[in-house]
Amino acid sequence: MYKWVISLAFYSIFILVFQVVYLASAADHYTRADFPADFIFGSATSAYQYEGAAFEDGRTPTIWDTYVHSANNNGATGDVTCDGYHKYKGDVKLMSETGLEALRFSISWSRLIPNGRGPVNPKGLQYYNNFIDELIKHGIQPHVTLYHVDLPQALEDEYGGWLSRKIVKDFRAYADVCFREFGDRVLYWTSINEANAAAIAGYEYGFIAPGHFPSSKVSSRNQTYVVGHNFLLAHSAIAKLYKNKYKATQKGYVGINIYAWGSVPHTNTREDIIATQRANDFFIGWLIDPLFFGDYPETVKMNAQTRIPAFTEYESKQVKGSVDFIGVNHYLTVSIMDRPITSDIITRGFDADKALWIIFDQGQPAPGEYPVMPSGLYGVLEYLKQTYGNPPIYIHENGQMTRRNGTLMDTSRVKYMHAYIGSMLDAMRNGSNTKGYFVWTFLDCLEILDGYESAFGLYYVDLDDKELKRYQKLSGKWYSNFLKGGNVISEPSKNAPFHLRSGFSQ
């Protein structure tokens, strides 16, 4: 209760004051030298979105394969995507030329261990060894995510995947292989990508794999909470494994990743301010509180009641303190409006329990683009600092969405990156323990929500070209200039011939 009161008071003051003064004070002129020498800048991707080669060299289907091949997904799959499985050497060379200091990528569980458990696939093992070696050869630090929404379909079919506690043993065994085989070169391990969003979107709303819609089913309206609980148990199991078996020799770090949008009250009423704190409890505290305090937030337990699993004393002790860092994916800011809890217990699930409306009313500068609201990232970093004792934070994903139309003059992405990196710098100057920033993403690739309709890349990938040729965008040039120590501006020149169809050449 004490933490909740402090958080609410903080939010009330923060929202009223910060939004007024932020834009005037945000860092606008900065260079790489304004960040600590050990701060890491890079880019991020994931196996299914980048690798392709979905049916080659022993890789077996995942729940993501099954989802995109069975759902109405406009034919967008990860069967080929950027073909990184075959083209990684050229891509790493581009990363080096751009000046990336690190790459965050994921390992495909079913490429490494095709049945989810049991024998390791030699060709999968060779690919990841080669990829990691190529990164290190070019001075790029590998940051590895173990699970990025691509559970082996074999485990989903056998026992329901993340809905069963059997997953904890299999995930631990998979992580053991990764630590053993790659840990001599990999220091930074993230257990699960967007653990909160993966549970909500996959098991409450059904718009990502595995596509469950339990909120309409009386018998399974707690699936989201069960999956979140098993995420925490699996994470803490591999953190314990690493600490006991590998930490002394490999000296690496194990963290978890969450999706965190900026949340602001829709109005300055007490109800909306309280609802905003409740939103943070449900979207952040739900899976981060147990890692620091050993249990779920009181608001979440009170609203979810018996629908959320309870930690045993042993589980609580294992989960608490099991992170070395928190990974944050942040793209946009929403406003929060209070919604009274209904008495309809039959349809109540995670959506109803949180008792609030999420309003995407911030306006858009252009169709299909995120509004530039860097105060949201500052607010997330400040909230994590205030609530959890300022743990190490890595911004694992942040980037601007545009339509995929072949344009290389992506000025909106430049403005977005300039603003959000500046916001992060402001938060660090105010004491945030942020350690790294990874832009999403290096190459235009398969996107989780709309396939190839949108793009986030610093490089355009021509899907109509049989070689899938890569073309650097203005944002890639801007980021490269920044990483190499140049002064950066938010209003780039529009004189360069940066449109693919007008004769631009690499």
Side-chain angles (χ1 to χ4, degrees):
M1 177 61 72
Y2 177 75
K3 178 179 77 72
W4 185 89
V5 172
I6 293 296
S7 297
L8 177 57
F10 160 73
Y11 233 90
S12 302
I13 297 170
F14 176 79
I15 293 301
L16 292 175
V17 176
F18 177 74
Q19 291 189 95
V20 176
V21 303
Y22 175 76
L23 289 177
S25 64
D28 187 49
H29 300 287
Y30 56 83
T31 68
R32 176 66 179 86
D34 287 308
F35 293 84
D38 62 351
F39 190 91
I40 199 79
F41 278 99
S43 187
T45 190
S46 81
Y48 190 70
Q49 292 169 275
Y50 167 70
E51 288 178 5
F55 310 107
E56 294 185 37
D57 291 345
R59 182 187 181 276
T60 60
T62 70
I63 59 173
W64 204 339
D65 291 281
T66 302
Y67 181 79
V68 297
H69 279 277
S70 62
N72 181 14
N73 201 50
N74 298 319
T77 74
D79 294 356
V80 177
T81 184
C82 301
D83 197 22
Y85 187 74
H86 299 108
K87 297 180 176 297
Y88 71 91
K89 287 188 177 181
D91 291 337
V92 173
K93 184 174 182 291
L94 288 179
M95 294 174 196
S96 177
E97 292 171 354
T98 302
L100 292 194
E101 300 163 7
L103 178 72
R104 178 189 176 233
F105 64 98
S106 72
I107 290 174
S108 170
W109 187 343
S110 72
R111 192 182 296 284
L112 189 64
I113 307 175
N115 294 320
R117 74 166 75 89
V120 173
N121 175 18
K123 291 187 176 180
L125 179 62
Q126 181 182 23
Y127 169 71
Y128 289 113
N129 270 320
N130 291 345
F131 188 41
I132 292 168
D133 286 346
E134 195 71 16
L135 289 169
I136 292 173
K137 184 174 76 174
H138 285 82
I140 300 171
Q141 188 180 83
H143 287 234
V144 172
T145 300
L146 293 173
Y147 181 72
H148 201 119
V149 204
D150 54 354
L151 178 75
Q153 187 64 42
L155 301 184
E156 180 78 6
D157 293 340
E158 180 182 342
Y159 53 71
W162 289 105
L163 288 168
S164 170
R165 294 201 182 191
K166 292 180 180 179
I167 193 69
V168 176
K169 180 179 179 181
D170 287 336
F171 189 66
R172 184 184 184 279
Y174 159 57
D176 198 9
V177 172
C178 293
F179 295 154
R180 182 182 71 236
E181 299 293 342
F182 313 128
D184 60 328
R185 290 152 291 163
V186 175
L187 292 177
Y188 297 92
W189 299 94
T190 301
S191 56
I192 297 162
N193 180 72
E194 293 187 355
N196 52 352
I200 298 166
Y203 297 84
E204 179 78 20
Y205 303 136
F207 56 75
I208 69 169
H212 291 200
F213 298 89
S215 60
S216 62
K217 303 174 184 177
V218 175
S219 61
S220 56
R221 61 182 181 267
N222 64 340
Q223 281 193 5
T224 303
Y225 294 117
V226 169
V227 169
H229 197 77
N230 288 337
F231 278 161
L232 289 171
L233 297 182
H235 162 80
S236 61
I238 72 161
K240 181 179 180 180
L241 167 70
Y242 189 85
K243 180 179 179 181
N244 292 342
K245 190 174 180 180
Y246 297 101
K247 180 81 171 180
T249 55
Q250 296 182 359
K251 305 189 185 305
Y253 308 91
V254 178
I256 197 169
N257 173 282
I258 60 165
Y259 183 92
W261 49 36
S263 299
V264 297
H266 190 61
T267 71
N268 62 0
T269 62
R270 180 176 182 273
E271 290 77 12
D272 285 358
I273 292 173
I274 293 174
T276 302
Q277 176 59 49
R278 191 161 64 249
N280 284 321
D281 283 342
F282 270 85
F283 291 114
I284 296 176
W286 167 42
L287 294 184
I288 299 301
D289 269 33
L291 300 170
F292 289 87
F293 310 123
D295 201 1
Y296 296 116
E298 289 300 322
T299 304
V300 175
K301 292 195 295 182
M302 179 179 66
N303 287 19
Q305 299 176 10
T306 58
R307 289 179 293 283
I308 190 167
F311 289 106
T312 66
E313 183 177 353
Y314 173 81
E315 291 170 348
S316 177
K317 289 181 179 179
Q318 178 166 296
V319 170
K320 184 178 179 180
S322 64
V323 285
D324 296 317
F325 63 85
I326 299 296
V328 172
N329 293 357
H330 174 86
Y331 291 93
L332 53 85
T333 296
V334 299
S335 60
I336 304 297
M337 179 181 288
D338 180 58
R339 180 181 67 177
I341 297 178
T342 69
S343 60
D344 187 0
I345 195 70
I346 293 178
T347 60
R348 184 180 298 168
F350 186 89
D351 185 44
D353 288 341
K354 64 184 187 295
L356 51 88
W357 298 105
I358 302 168
I359 303 171
F360 297 89
D361 64 351
Q362 306 299 326
Q364 292 187 335
E369 295 182 3
Y370 294 140
V372 179
M373 298 188 66
S375 58
L377 177 58
Y378 186 103
V380 168
L381 296 177
E382 187 70 13
Y383 183 82
L384 293 172
K385 182 184 77 174
Q386 295 279 351
T387 307
Y388 301 108
N390 205 18
I393 302 293
Y394 287 86
I395 308 300
H396 274 161
E397 292 182 25
N398 176 246
Q400 174 64 290
M401 175 175 64
T402 58
R403 305 319 300 164
R404 190 186 179 102
N405 56 13
T407 298
L408 302 183
M409 193 67 181
D410 55 344
T411 55
S412 63
R413 183 167 291 109
V414 171
K415 293 177 182 178
Y416 183 100
M417 293 169 62
H418 182 272
Y420 281 78
I421 293 174
S423 176
M424 177 179 65
L425 179 57
D426 280 339
M428 293 171 63
R429 287 171 171 170
N430 196 39
S432 173
N433 193 19
T434 305
K435 298 290 189 179
Y437 175 91
F438 296 78
V439 64
W440 183 270
T441 179
F442 191 70
L443 302 176
D444 287 345
C445 60
L446 175 77
E447 286 301 332
I448 194 168
L449 296 181
D450 63 355
Y452 300 104
E453 297 299 314
S454 64
F456 287 80
L458 304 177
Y459 281 76
Y460 177 84
V461 178
D462 188 353
L463 299 178
D464 295 325
D465 178 70
K466 65 178 182 179
E467 298 298 325
L468 298 172
K469 191 171 182 180
R470 282 77 156 125
Y471 298 88
Q472 190 179 43
K473 301 179 188 178
L474 181 66
S475 59
K477 291 181 178 294
W478 182 92
Y479 198 41
S480 180
N481 179 61
F482 165 69
L483 294 176
K484 294 174 182 179
N487 291 314
V488 294
I489 57 174
S490 61
E491 294 290 341
S493 170
K494 297 183 180 180
N495 296 324
F498 282 157
H499 195 284
L500 179 61
R501 304 307 176 193
S502 63
F504 176 86
S505 61
Q506 181 65 26

